[in-house]
Amino acid sequence: MDLAHVFRYISEKSWLVFFVQQPVSSYPYTQATWNALETAFSSDRLVLYRRYTNSDEQAFELHSWNTKLGATINHSMQGFELLLRNHCNLHLSTIYGRSDWYEAFPGITDPQYQHLKYFYEEVQVVKSRVRNRNNPPCIVAGLTFGFWFALFTRRVERDFWLKGLKDVFQHRPARRDRKEISDALGRVKNLRNRIAHHEPIFHRDMTAAQALIIELAECICSETAQWIDFHSELNTFLQTCPIQDPNKRAQVLALRAADTNQWFL
């Protein structure tokens, strides 16, 4: 993402810069609550949350807020993943001339095609889970984001990108090559995994992450990208961060600012 695009997006979404002071949770915390949550979440996990809060109560509230933040950004990632999946499916069906394009992959027993083994195995995993192994929509729906991301990596460039899969991102600027698209998809995948594994993201620049997701979506379909962005509630939610201490809020903002560059496409 070029700097002008990012700064325009962030200036329009000015919640990156400001916190709105939030009331302390009304949950009735007791020493028994803190002890139970310490065991449930682990003291190691709570280190980062305690670093940017002034009490156990605030740390647990930040932990809860972090979970909700993941759900909020996941709204945009879900829309983008569906967009990516279905456009890949359409183009692969065209490239291979069949709706069950995954059945047309070269045999993995041939040493020449060992680099495609991952894709074959992922399809077999999905087949083992679905009732109708002969239903292409069921197979396609069961494939992971990691599968779609892997289609754009350097190792299989000749097998997919150069055979027509580059047209999935048909509206990308001419200067955007496969590597840039792949790197950006990798960053979205890593964020998706962090959220799935319940890791902290409150100190990451989710405004810039959202901008990257929307730019990738625009490279596929601008109408869908606008719909995803319009329905995102990230702008409102980021203002509810429960960090009370002004100095610690400033520290988190500094961490977010340092994180911004990694989201440039």
Side-chain angles (χ1 to χ4, degrees):
M1 175 176 289
D2 58 69
L3 289 175
H5 188 116
V6 168
F7 291 137
R8 182 171 66 253
Y9 188 96
I10 291 177
S11 66
E12 292 170 354
K13 317 292 188 180
S14 56
W15 61 84
L16 172 68
V17 183
F18 302 103
F19 285 101
V20 175
Q21 191 79 358
Q22 296 299 308
V24 176
S25 169
S26 60
Y27 187 85
Y29 284 96
T30 64
Q31 186 63 52
T33 305
W34 295 331
N35 292 342
L37 292 178
E38 180 98 25
T39 301
F41 299 151
S42 85
S43 56
D44 289 340
R45 176 180 179 79
L46 292 168
V47 167
L48 190 64
Y49 296 97
R50 283 174 165 148
R51 183 179 303 161
Y52 296 105
T53 54
N54 292 327
S55 68
D56 281 345
E57 177 179 344
Q58 291 179 15
F60 293 133
E61 288 302 304
L62 181 58
H63 187 284
S64 177
W65 187 86
N66 184 82
T67 302
K68 295 174 183 176
L69 175 60
T72 303
I73 192 69
N74 193 55
H75 179 278
S76 296
M77 287 196 291
Q78 181 186 85
F80 173 68
E81 182 172 354
L82 289 170
L83 175 66
L84 176 66
R85 173 208 297 174
N86 289 317
H87 276 260
C88 283
N89 180 48
L90 288 171
H91 283 80
L92 288 166
S93 296
T94 299
I95 292 169
Y96 288 99
R98 52 194 294 182
S99 60
D100 59 346
W101 43 266
Y102 44 84
E103 300 290 5
F105 286 170
I108 61 169
T109 56
D110 187 332
Q112 182 180 354
Y113 297 109
Q114 281 297 300
H115 63 293
L116 297 177
K117 183 179 180 180
Y118 165 80
F119 301 98
Y120 174 85
E121 291 179 340
E122 287 295 294
V123 170
Q124 301 312 305
V125 169
V126 174
K127 284 183 175 182
S128 70
R129 293 175 178 169
V130 300
R131 291 184 178 181
N132 191 348
R133 296 163 54 96
N134 298 315
N135 186 335
C138 288
I139 302 300
V140 170
L143 294 169
T144 65
F145 189 90
F147 180 95
W148 306 112
F149 157 71
L151 292 170
F152 297 92
T153 54
R154 181 180 63 82
R155 190 177 186 186
V156 295
E157 182 174 23
R158 293 182 180 180
D159 301 278
F160 300 115
W161 179 268
L162 296 179
K163 286 187 176 180
L165 206 58
K166 62 183 178 181
D167 292 334
V168 167
F169 293 90
Q170 59 184 320
H171 301 299
R172 71 188 188 282
R175 66 183 183 280
R176 302 297 186 212
D177 58 15
R178 181 209 55 76
K179 184 180 185 305
E180 290 179 305
I181 295 294
S182 178
D183 288 348
L185 289 174
R187 292 193 287 275
V188 174
K189 180 177 74 74
N190 289 340
L191 175 60
R192 187 182 185 278
N193 289 343
R194 286 187 66 85
I195 293 171
H197 290 281
H198 321 301
E199 296 181 23
I201 58 170
F202 68 88
H203 59 308
R204 306 289 299 276
D205 189 351
M206 291 299 98
T207 304
Q210 169 81 0
L212 177 61
I213 291 168
I214 297 305
E215 184 175 11
L216 284 169
E218 286 175 344
C219 290
I220 301 175
C221 174
S222 60
E223 288 291 334
T224 304
Q226 291 173 25
W227 183 90
I228 293 171
D229 199 26
F230 177 85
H231 287 89
S232 171
E233 297 181 353
L234 186 66
N235 56 338
T236 302
F237 187 77
L238 280 174
Q239 297 180 51
T240 68
C241 184
I243 298 175
Q244 302 291 316
D245 187 309
N247 291 327
K248 293 184 177 182
R249 290 203 303 271
Q251 292 173 21
V252 170
L253 287 175
L255 290 174
R256 291 183 183 176
D259 185 57
T260 299
N261 286 340
Q262 76 142 320
W263 300 107
F264 294 165
L265 177 58

